[in-house]
Amino acid sequence: MTLLGDSVVDPEDAHALDKPSPISATVLWRNVVLLSATWCLAVSALFIQVSVTTKASLDLASNSIATLGIGVFTITSAATVIPAVYIMHPKRAGRRNGFILAVVLGFFGAALDILGTRFGQVALLILGAMPQGLGWAFALNYRYAATSFVPLRCVGECENIDREKVIPRVLAVSVLGGALAAIVGPETTRHARDLIPAYDFMGSYVVLAVIYIAHAILLLFIDFHLIDAHASSDDSGNDEERPAWIAEVFGMLKTNQSLQSGFISVAGGFAIMVGLMNVTPLAENEANLSFDITTWTIEAHLLGMYLPSLFSGQVVQRIGKFASMMFGFAVIFCAAIVLIISDSSVPLFIIGVTLVGIGWNFTFVAGSTLVFEAGHDATAKRRVQSVSDTFVA
């Protein structure tokens, strides 16, 4: 038997010949890094869409509908998470086709946004948020796609690889691309707004469309066929055979304490972060802070969200998933205190939102690891993951 760097299959096993080709360590990490890059582009597009659409809507309409685009984006995304996983099943469209479909939807939404700025129609901006919300639901699956490059059947057959140690690192690296998005998104918003002087914000939406094109090209270099093949071999059932599988997931949730902790960590950390970050812009507005300062605080928050991925995977591996989860919530609690006492202090604002992001990262990585470990086969894992992501879409 050879190591993961070369193979994960015992050549003397007669049944190995019927299984998909093994995934080497080099292939694993190359694809994880590429998925991290796609996550960077997805988060950059998300930031541009959400922030620019709100500002453009304020210019074109009243305050009462300025955030309607965000609402449409969020609702369509949450409603599509489970169908997205269904579509990307290897026996249907597969991951590559599913992800490319998501990018095409995003590009279509960006095109509607461009038309909205060209004709001054806020309805087109709101309509453009809908296909982009659909696309975001697919993008949430990137981190779990990355873990799929560590085959289920590797357990017990790899001499030099501890799967429980590899998974947190893979999850952390897969979301690390968001750190670059912390710069790309806000800075693009600032500098591309006036790229086409005759139409305010059109330049930002043109750059958004370019990001979607680059996103599609990058997806072509990822070896999705490998993980689809492994998923097919590891499946023990078919979605159509169990129409009540969502109820089954909640049944698992009632009895599986690790899964309960994973859901609480992923959904709870996300909900608290969103609540704090929704209040922060209002506080900054009351303090009459400039647009540049607001942009800096957002950049600090996004860096806090994703830069800890450089080490959070190792921390989860060393101190454990539950301890990492509690650490994350403790950091978020400290961040809330800092934001409460910040008043109009810019340094405290920046420290507070950065801590919010750091705390979220640990709850997300630790919680995602717990969610990933639930389920006895690839089908069960996809079901659990899709229900979990519905709460963070």
Side-chain angles (χ1 to χ4, degrees):
M1 179 165 56
T2 53
L3 303 182
L4 181 63
D6 299 312
S7 176
V8 296
V9 177
D10 187 345
E12 296 178 0
D13 185 352
H15 299 291
L17 296 175
D18 297 328
K19 295 181 178 180
S21 300
I23 297 175
S24 69
T26 302
V27 171
L28 163 66
W29 289 110
R30 181 177 70 83
N31 284 281
V32 169
V33 169
L34 287 173
L35 282 164
S36 183
T38 60
W39 180 246
C40 168
L41 294 176
V43 174
S44 298
L46 170 69
F47 179 85
I48 295 171
Q49 162 61 22
V50 171
S51 61
V52 174
T53 297
T54 301
K55 293 181 176 64
S57 297
L58 279 170
D59 287 354
L60 296 174
S62 63
N63 292 350
S64 60
I65 64 171
T67 58
L68 186 56
I70 298 177
V72 169
F73 183 98
T74 303
I75 292 171
T76 54
S77 177
T80 311
V81 170
I82 292 176
V85 173
Y86 180 89
I87 290 170
M88 289 191 291
H89 191 284
K91 295 178 181 177
R92 300 186 188 90
R95 281 193 174 93
R96 185 195 302 280
N97 292 334
F99 286 135
I100 289 179
L101 170 63
V103 174
V104 170
L105 288 169
F107 181 84
F108 178 66
L112 289 174
D113 290 334
I114 292 172
L115 292 175
T117 56
R118 169 63 179 83
F119 297 106
Q121 295 294 321
V122 70
L124 287 173
L125 300 182
I126 296 171
L127 190 61
M130 186 177 296
Q132 293 183 78
L134 297 174
W136 176 249
F138 284 81
L140 286 171
N141 196 254
Y142 280 144
R143 70 191 191 281
Y144 290 127
T147 61
S148 296
F149 281 98
V150 185
L152 286 171
R153 62 189 174 86
C154 183
V155 178
E157 296 184 47
C158 303
E159 295 179 356
N160 218 22
I161 294 294
D162 186 335
R163 195 166 188 272
E164 288 192 2
K165 293 181 179 180
V166 171
I167 293 300
R169 293 181 180 179
V170 168
L171 286 166
V173 172
S174 65
V175 299
L176 179 61
L180 181 58
I183 306 300
V184 174
E187 291 302 320
T188 297
T189 301
R190 288 178 59 196
H191 298 293
R193 172 177 177 173
D194 300 320
L195 195 62
I196 303 175
Y199 302 102
D200 203 13
F201 295 111
M202 184 183 285
S204 296
Y205 287 129
V206 169
V207 171
L208 177 60
V210 172
I211 287 176
Y212 281 123
I213 294 172
H215 196 159
I217 294 172
L218 190 59
L219 286 169
L220 298 177
F221 292 92
I222 301 175
D223 300 317
F224 288 117
H225 64 283
L226 294 178
I227 54 177
D228 282 345
H230 280 278
S232 295
S233 69
D234 289 323
D235 273 349
S236 65
N238 192 300
D239 289 343
E240 288 89 356
E241 295 173 1
R242 291 185 254 176
W245 63 263
I246 296 177
E248 292 179 14
V249 171
F250 283 101
M252 290 174 58
L253 192 58
K254 291 180 181 179
T255 58
N256 189 323
Q257 292 185 347
S258 293
L259 183 57
Q260 291 172 8
S261 298
F263 268 59
I264 291 171
S265 187
V266 172
F270 178 81
I272 297 171
M273 178 189 71
V274 169
L276 290 172
M277 293 310 297
N278 279 342
V279 173
T280 299
L282 299 177
E284 291 175 334
N285 186 58
E286 289 183 4
N288 294 317
L289 300 182
S290 68
F291 178 70
D292 283 343
I293 292 176
T294 300
T295 302
W296 293 337
T297 60
I298 293 172
E299 288 180 358
H301 172 63
L302 291 174
L303 285 171
M305 286 177 66
Y306 296 113
L307 202 56
S309 295
L310 287 169
F311 54 83
S312 59
Q314 287 88 337
V315 172
V316 172
Q317 169 198 329
R318 287 182 178 274
I319 71 174
K321 297 174 280 290
F322 295 100
S324 300
M325 179 182 72
M326 296 309 298
F327 172 74
F329 280 117
V331 173
I332 293 176
F333 178 76
C334 293
I337 294 175
V338 172
L339 290 172
I340 289 172
I341 66 174
S342 62
D343 194 19
S344 59
S345 170
V346 174
L348 286 181
F349 264 125
I350 292 177
I351 292 171
V353 298
T354 302
L355 288 175
V356 171
I358 293 172
W360 171 84
N361 183 278
F362 280 90
T363 62
F364 190 71
V365 173
S368 294
T369 303
L370 288 167
V371 171
F372 175 82
E373 292 173 349
H376 61 279
D377 59 27
T379 295
K381 287 180 180 295
R382 278 195 299 272
R383 293 169 178 174
V384 172
Q385 292 159 12
S386 63
V387 173
S388 171
D389 277 349
T390 300
F391 295 99
V392 299

